[in-house]
Amino acid sequence: MTGTFGAGPLPATADVVVIGGGVVGCAIARELTRFELSVLLIERAPDVATGTSKANSGILHAGFDADPGTWKAKLNVRGARLYADLAEGLGIPRKATGSLVVAKDAGQMDTVADLRQRGRDNGVPGLEIWNRDRLLAHEPNVSPEVAGALWAPSGAIVCPFLATVGFAENAIRNGARIVTECAVTGIDVVGGAITAVCTTRGRVATRFVVNAAGLHSGAVARLAGDDSFTIRPRRGEYILFDRSVGQLVNTVLFPTPDKVSKGILVAPTVHGNVFIGPDAVDIDDPDDRETTAGGLAGIVAGARRIVPALPLGTAITEFAGLRAAAGKDFVIGPSPVTRGLVHAAGIQSPGLTSAPAIGEAMVEVLAEAGLKLRPRAGFVPVNPAKPRFHDLDRPAQAALVAADPLYGRVICRCETITEAEIVAAILSPCGARTVDGVKRRVRAGAGRCQGGFCGPRVTAILARELGIPVTAVRKDSADSWLFLPRADIGAAEGIHA
Ligand SMILES: Cc1cc2nc3c(=O)[nH]c(=O)nc-3n(C[C@H](O)[C@H](O)[C@H](O)COP(=O)(O)OP(=O)(O)OC[C@H]3O[C@@H](n4cnc5c(N)ncnc54)[C@H](O)[C@@H]3O)c2cc1C
């Protein structure tokens, strides 16, 4: 029982419609495929993981930040545990690095002690206070001007793109339909209950809608007459360093947090890079992911307070992500206004960590809202493993090349990504449809040259495998064409072709 993925037609009906193909919507869809249900996920972009789920810190938080009893506290701790069991089977790269909250002085050590107590109240395992010497022994590049730290061994890092794709692919393998390039434009409500979802690809009759539309979840709620919450975008900017910086840090290093955010961190990625960021700035436009000179200068200054010798010359890209802030806690539960509408909204940090636990919680919320749940025989909890050429030793690489010569063609030289991996990323059940979709799945273009070398070759492979003209290949969003007709080139550049 396999589902579908792509910009295809909508079914006439679905038992549940999930709006939003971020990590939250995809984890919810996967959880729902455990039951005898027709599950439809609608995403307005050409791919999953194009919203907040593509631009975050990639940290599986241990769970000491949120106030005990909140959704954030419960779902964070449960989510971090679930990833430990799920990640490998779903093809989600995860490293158990642990995390440290660094205190600069005695006052901050008091805050760190409070965090440890809060973490214990939330059920976070193994929290310890480290003195300065122990911290510097573990992290020699940290400023010697520190007082100590909170060590959380259950903190970890994951690839946020592959988390989203992993949940989505598994949902599809278990029968979910994911329709992309399909924006929800209306929700029909009759007698206070949902009857249908209206989209740019037509109408689908349903009684249950999960609102997992991230930054647009407030707008989606209002389509169903529910204005019980609003979303305020809060931007966070980052700088990413090349893998050549090596082991600058061994674990995730947070400063002692303030009231607004966890502060500017210095952290490794699962792929061997190091990043600094994010800041936290309230903005108005939910689609404004611009980086700013002031923001980047601020994160450099903030990160230097933890690691003074930053390798700024190895920076390979800057980017920004937007938190969907709705208040202090996640908005999880039934709409107070419209029957059949349930929210997984306002999912700011630790939403990536919490996603699989949000999936579980939403099943309960839907059951309480009246959705009949009968377990389905044959749920397959894992995705087939995909070889990562770069990570293998020479004999294993040679064996792959012998089995498939496309493993012998390196397309992305910075990250050593082969044509076979790119083809597999396009042809898999949740396959890449854009150049950035390939990058998110296999890292072609994620290295030092940022696609300058491999971009045209990835474009040609996409065109060949999708059976479309090369001029129809897009970078990421629905209208991000890589090639313009001649007349449009003239118009765009203010010249006459
Ligand atoms: C700077 C920053 C750092 C973070 N760091 C971490 C971290 O380290 N660890 C952690 O656990 N969490 C972190 N988070 C939080 C985490 O990234 C989010 O909680 C999570 O990605 C939210 O996922 P989502 O699926 O709710 O939203 P999104 O990923 O934004 O997905 C929502 C989707 O809905 C779609 N959509 C919207 N409107 C419509 C419509 N009308 N029709 C169809 N589709 C629609 C959008 O296109 C989008 O794809 C961070 C967030 C930010 C911004």
Side-chain angles (χ1 to χ4, degrees):
M1 164 180 192
T2 307
T4 56
F5 178 71
L10 276 185
T13 63
D15 292 324
V16 187
V17 174
V18 180
I19 303 174
V23 69
V24 171
C26 293
I28 294 168
R30 172 182 186 263
E31 210 52 40
L32 288 170
T33 61
R34 292 179 188 274
F35 303 95
E36 295 280 357
L37 295 169
S38 55
V39 178
L40 171 68
L41 186 150
I42 295 177
E43 167 55 52
R44 65 178 188 168
D47 198 359
V48 296
T50 63
T52 302
S53 301
K54 82 167 177 186
N56 54 59
S57 306
I59 294 164
L60 297 181
H61 293 286
F64 47 76
D65 291 295
D67 290 331
T70 58
W71 280 114
K72 278 187 179 178
K74 284 184 278 193
L75 298 176
N76 180 344
V77 176
R78 170 94 184 133
R81 269 192 215 125
L82 287 172
Y83 273 102
D85 296 335
L86 289 171
E88 190 177 350
L90 291 178
I92 304 171
R94 172 183 173 278
K95 279 188 190 162
T97 53
S99 68
L100 286 162
V101 179
V102 177
K104 297 287 287 180
D105 52 36
Q108 291 197 343
M109 286 302 282
D110 290 344
T111 308
V112 155
D114 291 346
L115 286 179
R116 178 176 62 173
Q117 187 52 49
R118 202 190 301 163
R120 285 176 173 167
D121 293 345
N122 289 344
V124 180
L127 293 170
E128 290 173 12
I129 306 261
W130 284 5
N131 65 20
R132 175 180 172 280
D133 291 347
R134 184 143 186 219
L135 168 57
L136 292 178
H138 195 267
E139 293 290 354
N141 292 316
V142 162
S143 163
E145 311 286 309
V146 293
L150 176 67
W151 165 244
S154 61
I157 52 177
V158 286
C159 172
F161 322 126
L162 287 177
T164 310
V165 171
F167 290 128
E169 178 180 330
N170 196 244
I172 295 164
R173 287 187 185 281
N174 284 294
R177 293 179 75 159
I178 298 185
V179 178
T180 55
E181 301 192 53
C182 180
V184 171
T185 52
I187 296 177
D188 289 350
V189 178
V190 177
I194 288 199
T195 57
V197 170
C198 305
T199 80
T200 47
R201 288 183 178 272
R203 186 173 177 277
V204 52
T206 188
R207 289 177 52 222
F208 295 96
V209 170
V210 178
N211 175 11
L215 290 153
H216 298 271
S217 51
V220 164
R222 285 192 291 282
L223 292 177
D226 178 351
D227 61 1
S228 57
F229 64 93
T230 50
I231 299 290
R232 188 82 208 272
R234 186 174 296 150
R235 186 172 59 205
E237 300 184 34
Y238 291 94
I239 300 175
L240 182 75
F241 301 119
D242 186 35
R243 283 194 284 115
S244 61
V245 303
Q247 290 288 98
L248 182 73
V249 293
N250 297 306
T251 183
V252 177
L253 297 173
F254 297 99
T256 302
D258 59 28
K259 286 200 172 65
V260 183
S261 84
K262 300 180 188 80
I264 311 294
L265 43 136
V266 183
T269 74
V270 274
H271 302 293
N273 303 77
V274 171
F275 71 83
I276 59 174
D279 55 0
V281 177
D282 286 337
I283 59 169
D284 295 323
D285 180 354
D287 296 310
D288 176 5
R289 293 199 177 86
E290 294 290 308
T291 54
T292 62
L296 296 175
I299 64 171
V300 169
R304 275 194 173 132
R305 282 182 212 120
I306 305 181
V307 176
L310 290 176
L312 293 180
T314 66
I316 54 174
T317 189
E318 301 90 33
F319 61 95
L322 299 182
R323 306 166 181 89
K328 276 198 88 176
D329 205 0
F330 298 153
V331 180
I332 296 225
S335 160
V337 181
T338 308
R339 280 199 310 286
L341 175 64
V342 299
H343 300 303
I347 310 290
Q348 40 183 324
S349 188
L352 170 66
T353 316
S354 306
I358 294 175
E360 290 180 341
M362 291 311 287
V363 166
E364 284 179 30
V365 170
L366 282 161
E368 279 164 28
L371 180 67
K372 296 274 172 296
L373 297 175
R374 274 185 297 121
R376 186 172 64 80
F379 175 76
V380 182
V382 296
N383 298 323
K386 299 180 185 70
R388 295 191 168 271
F389 190 83
H390 175 272
D391 298 338
L392 301 175
D393 60 20
R394 288 288 163 144
Q397 290 181 337
L400 280 179
V401 175
D404 180 351
L406 288 188
Y407 278 106
R409 287 172 54 102
V410 174
I411 301 297
C412 169
R413 291 189 187 169
C414 302
E415 299 292 307
T416 323
I417 309 300
T418 65
E419 184 162 354
E421 291 165 277
I422 294 170
V423 170
I426 297 167
L427 299 184
S428 93
C430 182
R433 295 289 178 272
T434 61
V435 173
D436 283 1
V438 170
K439 173 165 118 177
R440 286 191 283 270
R441 284 166 179 79
V442 293
R443 293 184 58 70
R448 192 183 191 93
C449 87
Q450 288 289 294
F453 176 77
C454 65
R457 300 172 79 191
V458 169
T459 304
I461 296 168
L462 270 164
R464 184 188 75 206
E465 297 300 327
L466 296 176
I468 57 176
V470 83
T471 48
V473 176
R474 290 166 295 176
K475 183 174 185 302
D476 195 13
S477 60
D479 56 359
S480 58
W481 308 104
L482 292 165
F483 302 94
L484 291 172
R486 258 189 106 65
D488 289 354
I489 294 170
E493 294 181 352
I495 54 169
H496 296 291

